[in-house]
Amino acid sequence: MSVQSAIKRKSAPDIRARKNGEPIVMLTSYHAHTAALVDRHCDVILVGDSLGNVMHGFETTVPVTLDMMILQGRAVMRGSKHALVVVDMPFGSYEASKEQAFHSAVRILKETHCGAVKLEGGVRMAETVAFLSERGVPVMGHIGLTPQSINTLGSFRAQGRDQGSWDPILNDARAISDAGAFSVVVEAVAEPLARKITETIAIPTIGIGASAACDGQVLVLEDMLGLSPRTPKFVRRYGELGPAIEAAIKGYADDVRSRAFPGPEHVYEMKKS
Ligand code: KIV
């Protein structure tokens, strides 16, 4: 007899069905405990390869490995119950061939039990997106600014500022949608182009630095919490946790140094936060 989980997680088709509907709320998480908090309010949790910058202090996402993504994907799945968990395919794990992409995606799905993967690229990745989607791997695309290509781009710059440069990005959006992706992240794209993409393609667009014209939004959790050392200009901060955490650490260090630390008279109990 099979045992069905009482809690139904959101699926890739659920998110696909939100085109032109209620805006999709997405945030990143890399840990079980932040995933539990994000899960209460978001439709999608992205285990982004931004973990390379945020958790590991790398300058770019290029050094991130498949094993790193799988480890944190498993933590996020343990911490969450409701949201669709999407795990990023890291640089070098999918570009060589559609077969390489399939093997990497299958490892991610089997080892984390997440509901979908995300990969960067438009027209050049369309064949791979179709290959994966046709074989049971839900794919979220990522177009506009694609941080894994930093070494060929040279810098992180907003895309599509003048109308003359729209065509390649529009073509990327169409190619990923037609290939069968269930949604697409649109990063650092000027509002008129983000609006045009959203009106043109059949799947939901999820913007980051791409205006409210998209079908949903995503931010890096640590950026919007004020925990990242550097954040892109477009990020609206909803907290300033960096200074709050430092004040708490300083309070602890001061207590230890002045021997004001609680002694054995305090019973050691776990408090639920
Ligand atoms: O890696 C990541 O966090 C991302 C988002 C910025 C969309 O890809």
Side-chain angles (χ1 to χ4, degrees), residues 28 30 46 48-50 88 118 120 142 185 187 208 218 220:
T28 61
Y30 324 117
L46 173 65
D49 62 355
S50 52
D88 251 342
K118 175 166 85 58
E120 294 183 7
H142 184 153
V185 167
E187 180 161 355
I208 175 161
V218 58
V220 171

Side-chain angles (χ1 to χ4, degrees), residues 6-176:
I7 299 155
K8 193 184 169 306
R9 264 188 199 273
K10 288 196 172 76
S11 66
D14 293 335
I15 300 304
R16 166 73 183 77
R18 296 270 288 272
K19 180 73 188 174
N20 298 324
E22 193 195 341
I24 297 159
V25 186
M26 174 160 138
L27 274 176
T28 61
S29 167
Y30 324 117
H31 325 95
H33 65 285
T34 55
L37 299 173
V38 171
D39 192 52
R40 292 186 206 146
H41 304 279
C42 293
D43 303 301
V44 185
I45 304 178
L46 173 65
V47 186
D49 62 355
S50 52
L51 65 78
N53 312 102
V54 176
M55 289 180 68
H56 297 275
F58 293 135
E59 283 293 314
T60 73
T61 54
V62 170
V64 175
T65 66
L66 197 52
D67 287 338
M68 287 160 82
M69 296 310 303
I70 289 172
L71 192 65
Q72 302 321 132
R74 291 172 68 171
V76 168
M77 284 298 291
R78 278 193 293 273
S80 61
K81 294 184 193 138
H82 305 288
L84 170 67
V85 174
V86 179
V87 175
D88 251 342
M89 300 190 70
F91 180 67
S93 72
Y94 63 95
E95 302 90 332
S97 66
K98 46 195 197 305
E99 289 79 10
Q100 182 209 22
F102 183 72
H103 291 305
S104 300
V106 166
R107 265 201 73 195
I108 292 175
L109 293 187
K110 277 183 187 283
E111 294 180 38
T112 70
H113 299 178
C114 74
V117 299
K118 175 166 85 58
L119 56 79
E120 294 183 7
V123 172
R124 71 184 162 92
M125 292 314 302
E127 208 189 323
T128 296
V129 172
F131 190 84
L132 298 185
S133 307
E134 286 158 7
R135 285 161 181 77
V137 180
V139 181
M140 177 180 279
H142 184 153
I143 60 163
L145 177 66
T146 47
Q148 292 176 7
S149 303
I150 180 64
N151 288 322
T152 44
L153 292 174
S155 66
F156 295 125
R157 235 177 297 121
Q159 314 284 302
R161 281 220 174 106
D162 57 285
Q163 204 159 346
S165 64
W166 283 15
D167 274 356
I169 305 169
L170 257 175
N171 290 341
D172 282 344
R174 283 198 198 98
I176 291 301

